[in-house]
Amino acid sequence: LQVYGRVMVDLKAHDIPNTVANTCKHIAPHNPWAVTVHGSGGTEVVKAAVKELKGTDTIVLVITLLTSIKDESKEIYGRQPIEQVKAIAQLAWDAGARGFVCSPAEAPVLREMFPRATLVTPGVRSVGADTHDQKRVTTPKQAIDGGADHIVGGRQFFAATDPVAEVRRVLHDELHVDMAA
């Protein structure tokens, strides 16, 4: 796939450190741009992924909190979403990760805390688009303006009658990208 551009292997790895390390070891020779790991697995899981990918160009993107979780964050983690995201991001940074997957609502806070981190934001939808099961969402422009390096549009594009036209519309109309370039 890398012939078409950079590849993010969205593993969402969430297992014991040895299993995550083994998975990353098998991915490392393919040198993807990034691999995702759930930060809720803890420090040792993140360290295992970082260690196995050391010496490659692959970055570990740590998932902070699923964008489908909002009010239940307090019940699950004992914290509000922003507090959980900050805690997981700090844990991940201290473990050697240099990128995060976070909702665009938390991107400004993480950008301030970690100015050099790579931020990938799912939960991005145009005004009026169905948010499906995403609960912490913003528009593509708000995500970029809030500090996201990369946005994930997902179903808004894949469910469109013409996905390519929808991507072009968002790039041109919402993000003001010069499509002639």
Side-chain angles (χ1 to χ4, degrees):
L1 289 176
Q2 292 186 88
V3 71
Y4 298 106
R6 298 184 310 168
V7 173
M8 178 177 88
V9 180
D10 195 13
L11 289 176
K12 297 177 176 69
H14 192 260
D15 210 316
I16 62 172
N18 184 66
T19 300
V20 171
N22 192 41
T23 301
C24 289
K25 182 172 97 176
H26 289 291
I27 289 170
H30 303 287
N31 203 28
W33 167 68
V35 170
T36 61
V37 174
H38 272 283
S40 59
T43 301
E44 295 307 313
V45 167
V46 176
K47 283 182 178 179
V50 169
K51 180 181 176 186
E52 285 303 324
L53 294 166
K54 188 173 183 162
T56 71
D57 295 327
T58 304
I59 63 170
V60 174
L61 294 173
V62 172
I63 298 165
T64 56
L65 181 66
L66 296 174
T67 53
S68 61
I69 295 174
K70 187 174 181 179
D71 298 333
E72 59 270 61
S73 177
K74 183 93 169 133
E75 175 188 337
I76 298 168
Y77 299 108
R79 302 177 223 201
Q80 294 300 322
I82 188 61
E83 296 308 318
Q84 179 65 12
V85 168
K86 288 167 43 178
I88 292 292
Q90 188 65 61
L91 171 152
W93 190 264
D94 293 346
R98 293 298 175 256
F100 310 110
V101 177
C102 63
S103 95
E106 288 95 33
V109 173
L110 292 188
R111 177 58 64 215
E112 186 174 319
M113 287 176 68
F114 307 98
R116 294 185 323 269
T118 299
L119 300 181
V120 176
T121 59
V124 174
R125 297 288 193 274
S126 298
V127 172
D130 190 339
T131 59
H132 301 97
D133 53 354
Q134 306 286 341
K135 294 180 181 170
R136 295 180 347 272
V137 300
T138 67
T139 67
K141 181 157 179 27
Q142 289 168 325
I144 297 294
D145 290 349
D149 295 297
H150 306 278
I151 61 173
V152 179
R155 286 172 279 188
Q156 176 176 339
F157 301 114
F158 294 123
T161 305
D162 185 343
V164 172
E166 179 64 1
V167 168
R168 287 184 176 146
R169 185 199 65 75
V170 168
L171 288 170
H172 182 268
D173 297 352
E174 296 182 40
L175 296 176
H176 310 293
V177 173
D178 181 7
M179 300 303 290

